[in-house]
Amino acid sequence: MNYKSTRGTSGEILSAAQIIKQGLASDGGLFVPESIPSLTHDEISALCSLSYPERAATILSKFLTDYTYDELLCDCKAAYCEDSFPGGAAPLKNVYDNIYSLELWHGPTAAFKDMALQIMPRLLSRALTKTGEDRTALILVATSGDTGKAALEGYKDIDKIKIMVFYPVDGVSRVQKLQMATQTGDNVNICAIKGNFDDAQTGVKVIFSDKDAAEKLDEKGYFFSSANSINWGRLAPQIVYYVSAYCDLLTSGKIKMGDKINVCVPTGNFGNIFAAYLAKLMGLPIDKFICASNQNNVLTDFLCTGTYNRNRDFHCTMSPSMDILISSNLERLLYFSAGAEKTAEYMSLLNTTGAYTVESEVLNTISENFKGYFADEEKTGATIKDYFKNHSYLSDTHTAVALNCAEQYINETGDKTPMVVASTASPYKFAADVLKSITGTNPTDALKALDILSEVSGTEISYPLRNLAERRVRFTTTIEHENMLSEVFAFIEK
Ligand SMILES: *Cc1c(COP(=O)(O)O)cnc(C)c1O
């Protein structure tokens, strides 16, 4: 199985290991497989009796054909082990009637990015060996909180890789800061910078494009790499949990083989929902994809009108991981719906004008599968309260957006197909907003909000967020953002 660019102009035809190492295609496009492997009903049946790591290795081996099944199984077992995901990686809970919550947040940082970031570093480490790379990869991440922590947990103590995370000193919550400052692992470094998230991100981008720095790094046996969410190594592992959910519905007798399900995904960068679509292209019986957005509803508008327009106000919401105006992975859907040439055109327009409009045939093709809805802050808060009071289900702010959008879709269409809603974060990760939605009062202390939420809801705090205040703080450095590069060299020379 080889991979090529969504924009079709780079001419690159590369193996999985090569693209996982490289990240982006050289024409700026994203890598996509040349063909989609099939998943037959018999194969789905066979997966039903297997564990999550075994299901994952089977699906991944269809895409990563330059990795052996045994290599993938070994990595999947390590990534999704009981220590990291107590009780299993992607449990499916019935919320009420035929609404199911696919809980993707039982991992080491209590958010769904763990599902990809626990396995991707292992795939990258092997990719370095497979491509004859003898240097060490130095991952740089600028974070506004959640991605940085998930990346640190994923890359810590992985062979041939070091990771350095920069975050804005006053731009992350107290819980997030504590989570990062207490990070374990011998190959990690975390550094606060004076400035905002943009300063951190721009600083990392400047370092990535600095040829002198790359040369100096090369002399020391390192090269820069990113943990970006457009990397195929982060996308492919996400296909698995939709297949796994289907197997769980079969096993519990809720559906019969071949019955369709719908999925609803709280969406930001369009990675998660696109992975679900890939599962359908492989043969998993999925009917509709409900794309759920918050007040930043650029995707809702696109799916409704065919015009993508990022020239609009940016809203800071209580579901911050979906506060996005450029949804990068949408490019992969455009490629599969309109082809490489059109995709290159759209992306060039997006770059120059901030907007593009797809032809009506393209919109029709997309609309057969995708329906866009959004929930504003008021609806999101009301949904958290409603699900807690009426269905005894405690959801985080991102999941609540999706639950609300799923309801809007069902009310509008009367569609009775089982609905699998992706639940992307533990309610404890956003405890203050969840608590406020339920009780109407604003907790004064972010750490106390966790304990109060546990008391009010009668549920346990997710394990990665317990006893945060008691852990040993290892990283306390704060620097001017102009000094990020020298901090990077100080780290590898240590
Ligand atoms: C990243 C994230 C999302 C959005 O996922 P995409 O794959 O970017 O669409 C939703 N919820 C949470 C909690 C996230 O961290």
Side-chain angles (χ1 to χ4, degrees):
M1 166 86 58
N2 283 315
Y3 293 80
K4 59 186 179 181
S5 167
T6 45
R7 301 188 192 173
T9 41
S10 79
E12 288 160 305
I13 305 281
L14 300 173
S15 72
Q18 285 170 316
I19 62 154
I20 287 171
K21 179 179 154 191
Q22 185 174 324
L24 261 188
S26 59
D27 59 4
L30 313 193
F31 284 115
V32 281
E34 280 195 308
S35 59
I36 304 290
S38 67
L39 182 66
T40 63
H41 288 184
D42 283 349
E43 286 175 300
I44 298 172
S45 292
L47 291 175
C48 284
S49 59
L50 301 185
S51 67
Y52 190 87
E54 291 167 325
R55 290 172 181 176
T58 305
I59 300 297
L60 285 176
S61 67
K62 289 174 176 281
F63 286 98
L64 313 184
T65 50
D66 46 343
Y67 292 66
T68 67
Y69 176 79
D70 287 343
E71 286 173 339
L72 292 170
L73 184 61
C74 167
D75 289 347
C76 290
K77 279 185 170 163
Y80 302 116
C81 63
E82 182 67 23
D83 272 357
S84 299
F85 290 85
L92 188 70
K93 307 263 168 82
N94 186 209
V95 182
Y96 71 94
D97 293 352
N98 54 3
I99 309 275
Y100 298 86
S101 177
L102 177 58
E103 293 183 347
L104 304 171
W105 44 262
H106 292 277
T109 74
F112 103 103
K113 293 202 170 49
D114 292 332
M115 296 298 293
L117 279 165
Q118 283 297 303
I119 179 91
M120 147 87 179
R122 299 170 204 275
L123 300 177
L124 173 62
S125 181
R126 283 196 200 276
L128 298 183
T129 308
K130 287 178 190 295
T131 58
E133 179 61 68
D134 43 22
R135 295 172 298 173
T136 299
L138 177 57
I139 309 278
L140 296 187
V141 182
T143 186
S144 51
D146 285 343
T147 303
K149 178 65 185 177
L152 285 164
E153 279 296 325
Y155 286 93
K156 76 168 183 204
D157 296 329
I158 298 282
D159 246 14
K160 307 178 75 158
I161 301 180
K162 286 191 174 187
I163 176 167
M164 176 142 193
V165 170
F166 295 99
Y167 71 89
V169 68
D170 296 317
V172 305
S173 74
R174 182 153 158 245
V175 171
Q176 289 171 324
K177 197 177 287 192
L178 260 177
Q179 277 189 293
M180 288 192 279
T182 57
Q183 178 65 43
T184 58
D186 289 334
N187 61 339
V188 304
N189 193 13
I190 295 100
C191 188
I193 63 145
K194 292 182 194 158
N196 56 28
F197 172 64
D198 273 343
D199 295 319
Q201 192 163 43
T202 306
V204 165
K205 280 191 183 152
V206 167
I207 295 174
F208 274 139
S209 59
D210 183 336
K211 295 222 164 60
D212 287 346
E215 244 172 64
K216 231 174 110 188
L217 209 65
D218 181 65
E219 282 163 24
K220 297 181 188 299
Y222 288 86
F223 70 101
F224 287 126
S225 186
S226 84
N228 215 301
S229 81
I230 45 83
N231 193 303
W232 182 252
R234 275 186 67 177
L235 207 116
Q238 302 195 51
I239 301 168
V240 180
Y241 40 75
Y242 294 100
V243 178
S244 182
Y246 195 87
C247 290
D248 290 349
L249 285 170
L250 278 174
T251 310
S252 62
K254 304 288 190 199
I255 58 171
K256 297 187 305 299
M257 177 58 77
D259 287 354
K260 296 221 160 139
I261 61 168
N262 290 334
V263 302
C264 176
V265 183
T267 296
N269 232 341
F270 212 78
N272 194 353
I273 195 167
F274 183 73
Y277 180 61
L278 276 172
K280 174 169 181 171
L281 293 182
M282 293 176 77
L284 193 72
I286 303 180
D287 190 17
K288 296 287 185 285
F289 300 83
I290 315 303
C291 175
S293 300
N294 64 24
Q295 188 71 54
N296 296 292
N297 56 355
V298 61
L299 285 167
T300 321
D301 289 347
F302 170 68
L303 292 171
C304 187
T305 66
T307 296
Y308 191 99
N309 189 350
R310 64 158 300 197
N311 303 307
R312 59 176 71 211
D313 291 340
F314 178 84
H315 301 278
C316 290
T317 71
M318 61 173 135
S319 47
S321 301
M322 297 156 70
D323 291 346
I324 279 178
L325 291 182
I326 298 193
S327 210
S328 317
N329 273 299
L330 184 64
E331 180 168 347
R332 287 189 163 110
L333 178 65
L334 294 172
Y335 168 82
F336 280 100
S337 313
E341 206 173 312
K342 280 278 165 210
T343 303
E345 258 176 61
Y346 303 145
M347 290 304 112
S348 159
L349 280 169
L350 182 64
N351 223 347
T352 50
T353 68
Y356 59 86
T357 301
V358 301
E359 293 70 14
S360 56
E361 314 87 74
V362 175
L363 180 61
N364 287 343
T365 308
I366 292 175
S367 306
E368 276 166 28
N369 287 297
F370 291 86
K371 305 287 168 205
Y373 292 86
F374 79 99
D376 60 18
E377 295 291 90
E378 198 187 318
K379 280 188 183 151
T380 306
T383 303
I384 293 173
K385 187 170 179 179
D386 172 38
Y387 275 73
F388 179 64
K389 297 261 189 266
N390 298 319
H391 306 298
S392 305
Y393 190 75
L394 189 64
S395 91
D396 95 290
T397 49
H398 303 73
T399 307
V401 167
L403 289 167
N404 184 275
C405 291
E407 250 176 39
Q408 289 183 48
Y409 167 79
I410 290 166
N411 290 341
E412 233 174 80
T413 60
D415 190 345
K416 299 264 189 325
T417 309
M419 175 74 79
V420 171
V421 177
S423 174
T424 51
S426 155
Y428 289 96
K429 189 122 201 181
F430 300 92
D433 282 316
V434 171
L435 193 59
K436 188 173 161 215
S437 302
I438 292 175
T439 63
T441 53
N442 232 337
T444 47
D445 182 304
L447 279 181
K448 283 217 188 79
L450 290 150
D451 295 321
I452 303 172
L453 185 60
S454 179
E455 251 175 62
V456 168
S457 70
T459 61
E460 271 194 70
I461 300 176
S462 297
Y463 85 89
L465 300 167
R466 280 176 217 154
N467 311 321
L468 265 182
E470 285 138 49
R471 292 186 209 161
R472 185 168 77 87
V473 171
R474 294 178 64 204
F475 301 96
T476 53
T477 314
T478 303
I479 59 165
E480 302 288 337
H481 61 87
E482 291 84 4
N483 297 337
M484 286 166 65
L485 184 59
S486 48
E487 200 63 28
V488 168
F489 280 103
F491 173 45
I492 60 169
E493 276 156 15
K494 228 175 2 201

